[in-house]
Amino acid sequence: MKGKRMLLWTLFIVVFLGGCADFRTVGKQELPAEQTTLLAEHAALYREVAKASPFIHSMDGYADVWIKTPKRRNRVFCNILINRGSEARMIVSAGLLGWPVADMFFNRDSLYVHDMLNNRLFLGSNNDLNLEKIIGVNSGYRLLTESLLGLVNLEEPLSAVKSVKKGSGMLLFTVSTSTGSKEVVIDPSNRTLGALFLKDLQGRTTSEVHFRNFETITLDGQTTLVPKEIEMALYKSNADGSSREQQLVIAYDGRVFNQASRSFRFSLPKKAKVVNLNDAAALPWM
């Protein structure tokens, strides 16, 4: 049995490495730099984008996913299911053969991860550290799921907007938060969120998310634009004062909204070895 597992793992590595040639990373974009006045149309635009199309409440999609950390460069294929505001599920396949390697279920409090290669069930709290163990980034559950959906809700009211800049056909709203600030980049031509930068109290960027390649979605007579490509970069400070970067790039091949075709319910695998995720190191695909 041990030899069989080793053979399967070796084959997995071979086919996985074969799919790494076309590796994608987070792209940069020119940000607006010219200071301007907060006009009435700017205020209306901010309020509209902040709502993030609330009539969309679920998604079932298939995506290529690239993960880059200081120690890893992984490319996987995922079936991503999101029940907006409450739970999410990612069924991960890897390699040219598309073998399933993990089934991950998230809710606001807990994580359940079935390591299919070794039939192990990891159970643990839904926190930044455990998210980093299983998907390589410590973005926090809310930012992760909203970014995967492509619709980030902005809770800060218009009164929190401190300045507006324009340039390159975009508007940049600087918004005060309890932990620092947000820089919200909006495309006024199609009324979409183009990018989001989170900064700490010292003004350092801790996270950035870019949204690209929008497609038109119509549901029950309501139409909106949703990005097919999402790029996340997260920056973490080391003890010596340096920083390290984690990246997550998602490109959807297909998806449906408000009609998930696969259950969110996570069925506990039979005869799986149960492992406390809080005590585990990074999982095999990381």
Side-chain angles (χ1 to χ4, degrees):
M1 179 62 70
K2 184 177 180 180
K4 183 178 180 181
R5 287 182 179 176
M6 182 59 69
L7 175 60
L8 288 173
W9 185 247
T10 301
L11 289 173
F12 164 72
I13 293 297
V14 170
V15 297
F16 172 75
L17 291 176
C20 288
D22 184 24
F23 196 87
R24 291 182 55 176
T25 56
V26 174
K28 302 300 181 181
Q29 69 182 80
E30 183 179 353
L31 297 178
E34 181 184 347
Q35 199 74 36
T36 188
T37 304
L38 178 61
L39 303 176
E41 57 261 35
H42 298 162
L45 178 64
Y46 178 84
R47 290 193 181 100
E48 178 184 336
V49 172
K51 294 178 182 179
S53 304
F55 62 90
I56 293 181
H57 55 75
S58 70
M59 184 199 73
D60 182 350
Y62 295 87
D64 289 293
V65 178
W66 293 264
I67 302 168
K68 182 176 180 285
T69 73
K71 296 182 179 180
R72 299 285 191 271
R73 288 170 60 92
N74 292 353
R75 180 184 180 182
V76 296
F77 185 75
C78 287
N79 177 201
I80 301 173
L81 301 100
I82 296 174
N83 192 358
R84 194 172 187 179
S86 60
E87 57 191 2
R89 189 176 180 185
M90 297 177 69
I91 302 170
V92 184
S93 302
L96 298 177
L97 301 182
W99 286 341
V101 297
D103 188 353
M104 310 176 189
F105 178 81
F106 312 73
N107 60 33
R108 293 173 181 173
D109 302 314
S110 305
L111 297 177
Y112 300 81
V113 183
H114 182 203
D115 171 11
M116 296 178 174
L117 291 173
N118 301 294
N119 197 27
R120 294 181 297 179
L121 177 64
F122 291 85
L123 307 176
S125 303
N126 190 345
N127 55 45
D128 292 3
L129 180 59
N130 283 340
L131 283 174
E132 185 173 356
K133 290 176 183 178
I134 66 172
I135 61 172
V137 297
N138 62 344
S139 62
Y141 175 64
R142 179 184 168 188
L143 180 60
L144 173 66
T145 54
E146 290 188 351
S147 297
L148 289 174
L149 184 63
L151 298 169
V152 177
N153 183 270
L154 303 174
E155 295 184 332
E156 293 76 19
L158 184 64
S159 59
V161 175
K162 299 305 179 184
S163 67
V164 183
K165 294 180 180 180
K166 63 180 180 178
S168 303
M170 298 287 185
L171 291 173
L172 186 152
F173 296 79
T174 298
V175 183
S176 293
T177 69
S178 59
T179 57
S181 64
K182 290 180 180 178
E183 291 186 342
V184 181
V185 181
I186 296 177
D187 184 345
S189 65
N190 58 20
R191 312 183 79 80
T192 58
L193 177 64
L196 177 67
F197 296 80
L198 306 186
K199 296 179 178 289
D200 62 18
L201 293 171
Q202 288 72 45
R204 297 171 299 195
T205 300
T206 58
S207 307
E208 63 179 272
V209 190
H210 301 264
F211 303 96
R212 312 184 195 277
N213 192 12
F214 287 81
E215 66 175 338
T216 302
I217 302 297
T218 301
L219 297 168
D220 299 325
Q222 300 184 81
T223 299
T224 191
L225 289 168
V226 183
K228 295 181 67 176
E229 299 176 6
I230 299 100
E231 303 176 356
M232 299 181 68
L234 300 106
Y235 308 95
K236 191 172 183 180
S237 298
N238 297 320
D240 61 3
S242 61
S243 64
R244 59 189 178 94
E245 182 178 348
Q246 304 164 311
Q247 293 189 7
L248 183 68
V249 177
I250 303 102
Y252 283 100
D253 298 311
R255 55 190 171 169
V256 294
F257 295 91
N258 293 0
Q259 50 178 338
S261 60
R262 189 181 299 215
S263 173
F264 283 93
R265 185 179 299 277
F266 182 85
S267 299
L268 296 178
K270 297 180 179 179
K271 298 181 180 180
K273 179 182 178 181
V274 178
V275 181
N276 188 337
L277 182 59
N278 298 328
D279 300 327
L283 302 189
W285 50 90
M286 287 295 104

